[in-house]
Amino acid sequence: MSNNFSALANSVVEKMGGASNVIALTHCMTRLRFVTKDEAGIDADALKKIKGVMGVVQNGDKCQVIVGNNVAAAYKEVMKLLNLDGSAADDAPAPKVKLTPKVIGAKMLDALVGTMSPLIPAIIGGSMVKLAAMLLLMFNVYEADHSTIILLNTIGDGAFFFLPIMVAASAAIKFKTNMSLAIGIAGVLVHPNFIDLMAQAAEGKHVDLFGIPVESVRYTYTVIPVLIMTWIQSYIERWVDSITPTVTKNFLKPMLIVLIAAPIGILLVGPMGIWIGTAISTLVYTIHGTLGWLAVAIMGALWPLLVLTGMHRVFTPTIIQTIAETGTEGMVMPSEIGANIGMGGACLAVAWKTRNIALKQTSMAAGASALMAGISEPALYGVLVRLKRPLIATLITGFIVGGLAGYAGIASHSMAAPSLFTSVQFIDVNDPMSLVWVLGLMALSVVLSFVLTLMLGFDDIPNEEEDDMNKSHKKEADKKEEPKLTEAPVAAKATA
């Protein structure tokens, strides 16, 4: 990854069709996520050739540029050129697109991924703090009722308990609606009085709003309900803006938005969002319950491909909800062990075998990122996709290691990306053998992917310096041979 982020930013913006073509920009752990006015202005092939760009994923007017672990620095430089506030470059309406099942599905996926990606650091941070508290208990450093443990668990729970508010803020940017109103409406769902009412409703007490019964729902740790509520709020805000007189907009507009959006959310959208989230979670874990270890193996093989398309974020709400309800997650997270660590092992094999100096450096850095931090995009786009066969090695590794993880019943207490440093999230304090299993699976992932990559081989990328030297030697040889071709006719002429 080039450290010249200013030059990188200029090149990327130019190939995106210029600053005027970009209407929104966000970033996740490794990707710059652009939304453009005109997809024809995106030069994806040229983007891939920019030094520092590891890969490009384009889907219509949306384009993801993978730049690796230093994405935050690149994002700041690009933002300077776009003069955005993180949501839109101007108020120009987006071009209308004919709604088809494919377009609807793409928009839903984009809304979910675009909303959740900025929240991942807070979720990972909180879950790792809770994991630290669990380890302190496991090693008998503190008792369960000690204030240190209580405070650590509270710190770790903060991101999860107030997840609806975080989702509202992120979704407000995505849907271009008023953030403070979205946060205020979401705040109702975690207000102590509302939580108390929902608890009473769960015990059988009648709770209603204007005579309409309110269903008992717990919204802490949830994503889908507030995501839908904020999307609906964006339309309510536009409608209210169109009917309120200018002189009353300062007070009447926000009041009407809250009075319309909040009841709709509480009475209809909230329960519907819970049903949708529960249905998705039930489907995923029904498959797991039916196929057992095979489901984890299949997920392990598919995981690198899901990351390639960005669809891996679809599972984020399911993982959060499952960990909140049961304390662990035993399908998606264990499947990532072989996939993530395997990508790191494959990159190390490439670094070992390649003669290309630049590829060797890229492979070592990408491999370290996957192994140590669990961030696999640099490995995927910088090495595996380019060379193809090492990617096949990681898919095989993901299947085998995923199957073993499923067989052993490995489960995660956190949703941090599996890596050598986050392996503790898979330790079961009641099962000492879980540590042996996790360390064994990670070691197997590295060794298996390394060996498979060497066995399958890959077409090495020639060194640019070697190419230049070969071309130079060839030119010199051609120059030496040229006189021999011309001297014979001249000598013959002189003799004659």
Side-chain angles (χ1 to χ4, degrees):
M1 172 67 188
S2 172
N3 288 324
N4 191 352
F5 300 112
S6 178
L8 172 69
N10 277 285
S11 299
V12 169
V13 171
E14 178 187 351
K15 303 309 178 185
M16 291 298 299
S20 61
N21 193 41
V22 179
I23 61 175
L25 173 65
T26 57
H27 76 85
C28 55
M29 302 296 283
T30 57
R31 310 180 187 205
L32 295 170
R33 297 176 178 271
F34 291 88
V35 180
T36 62
K37 292 179 183 177
D38 182 9
E39 63 183 90
I42 303 173
D43 190 343
D45 291 333
L47 278 169
K48 295 175 183 177
K49 296 176 182 178
I50 297 174
K51 185 177 181 181
V53 173
M54 298 177 176
V56 175
V57 180
Q58 184 181 358
N59 183 11
D61 61 345
K62 299 171 184 63
C63 186
Q64 302 173 30
V65 180
I66 295 87
V67 296
N69 298 342
N70 292 309
V71 65
Y75 172 80
K76 289 179 181 178
E77 294 298 325
V78 174
M79 287 294 286
K80 291 178 184 177
L81 300 175
L82 301 178
N83 191 30
L84 297 179
D85 59 3
S87 56
D90 51 41
D91 296 327
K96 291 186 177 180
V97 180
K98 183 180 179 181
L99 292 180
T100 63
K102 182 179 179 180
V103 171
I104 293 173
K107 286 183 175 293
M108 291 173 62
L109 177 61
D110 178 66
L112 180 61
V113 173
T115 299
M116 291 306 301
S117 291
L119 308 183
I120 298 302
I123 294 170
I124 292 176
S127 60
M128 293 306 292
V129 170
K130 292 183 69 175
L131 189 60
M134 184 192 74
L135 291 175
L136 289 174
L137 284 174
M138 184 176 71
F139 291 108
N140 295 318
V141 178
Y142 293 106
E143 297 294 330
D145 58 352
H146 194 279
S147 59
T148 298
I149 297 298
I150 294 173
L151 286 172
L152 282 177
N153 280 322
T154 302
I155 293 170
D157 260 333
F160 294 95
F161 189 88
F162 293 103
L163 189 59
I165 293 178
M166 294 166 57
V167 170
S170 184
I173 295 175
K174 185 67 183 175
F175 298 126
K176 302 180 181 64
T177 189
N178 188 287
M179 184 186 294
S180 63
L181 291 176
I183 291 173
I185 294 169
V188 174
L189 306 180
V190 295
H191 193 284
N193 290 345
F194 184 81
I195 293 176
D196 184 53
L197 271 177
M198 293 299 96
Q200 294 177 34
E203 295 173 356
K205 179 181 178 180
H206 177 74
V207 177
D208 69 73
L209 178 63
F210 302 125
I212 304 174
V214 178
E215 184 175 346
S216 175
V217 177
R218 190 185 73 169
Y219 291 98
T220 54
Y221 295 82
T222 61
V223 172
I224 304 297
V226 175
L227 181 62
I228 299 174
M229 287 169 63
T230 308
W231 172 64
I232 291 177
Q233 178 197 315
S234 67
Y235 287 94
I236 293 174
E237 183 176 355
R238 295 172 203 168
W239 176 73
V240 170
D241 184 63
S242 68
I243 65 169
T244 50
T246 304
V247 295
T248 64
K249 285 189 186 297
N250 286 343
F251 64 92
L252 186 59
K253 177 182 172 181
M255 183 186 75
L256 289 177
I257 292 172
V258 171
L259 282 178
I260 295 171
I264 290 177
I266 293 170
L267 296 171
L268 178 63
V269 177
M272 182 176 67
I274 292 293
W275 298 334
I276 293 173
T278 302
I280 295 172
S281 180
T282 301
L283 175 62
V284 170
Y285 294 105
T286 297
I287 295 173
H288 183 208
T290 303
L291 298 180
W293 64 267
L294 183 59
V296 186
I298 294 172
M299 181 65 75
L302 292 177
W303 192 255
L305 304 180
L306 293 174
V307 175
L308 275 174
T309 60
M311 290 185 66
H312 60 305
R313 292 300 180 207
V314 171
F315 295 96
T316 299
T318 299
I319 296 170
I320 293 172
Q321 184 172 333
T322 303
I323 292 177
E325 292 176 353
T326 67
T328 58
E329 197 283 324
M331 177 180 171
V332 181
M333 296 302 300
S335 73
E336 294 182 49
I337 296 175
N340 275 17
I341 304 298
M343 284 187 265
C347 284
L348 294 182
V350 171
W352 173 274
K353 188 175 181 180
T354 183
R355 296 181 61 188
N356 184 296
I357 297 173
L359 180 59
K360 185 184 292 290
Q361 294 174 345
T362 299
S363 299
M364 291 179 66
S369 174
L371 291 171
M372 302 300 179
I375 298 176
S376 58
E377 280 90 343
L380 270 173
Y381 291 97
V383 181
L384 305 181
V385 173
R386 291 169 66 187
L387 302 179
K388 296 180 178 62
R389 274 175 281 176
L391 177 60
I392 296 174
T394 64
L395 301 184
I396 297 172
T397 300
F399 182 86
I400 294 173
V401 176
L404 290 172
Y407 173 79
I410 299 298
S412 175
H413 297 82
S414 166
M415 66 166 295
S419 67
L420 298 181
F421 285 142
T422 61
S423 58
V424 292
Q425 68 185 320
F426 295 100
I427 299 174
D428 183 354
V429 294
N430 299 314
D431 181 13
M433 280 301 296
S434 62
L435 175 61
V436 177
W437 268 105
V438 171
L439 295 179
L441 289 173
M442 289 192 170
L444 176 62
S445 299
V446 175
V447 173
L448 185 59
S449 60
F450 190 98
V451 172
L452 285 173
T453 299
L454 295 181
M455 289 175 60
L456 294 175
F458 56 89
D459 296 327
D460 202 2
I461 300 173
N463 270 316
E464 293 180 4
E465 293 180 4
E466 289 182 2
D467 286 349
D468 292 340
M469 290 177 62
N470 291 336
K471 290 177 183 178
S472 178
H473 290 322
K474 186 176 180 182
K475 286 180 180 179
E476 290 179 5
D478 290 342
K479 287 179 181 178
K480 291 178 180 179
E481 292 176 3
E482 284 177 2
K484 296 178 181 179
L485 296 174
T486 57
E487 285 174 2
V490 173
K493 184 177 179 180
T495 304

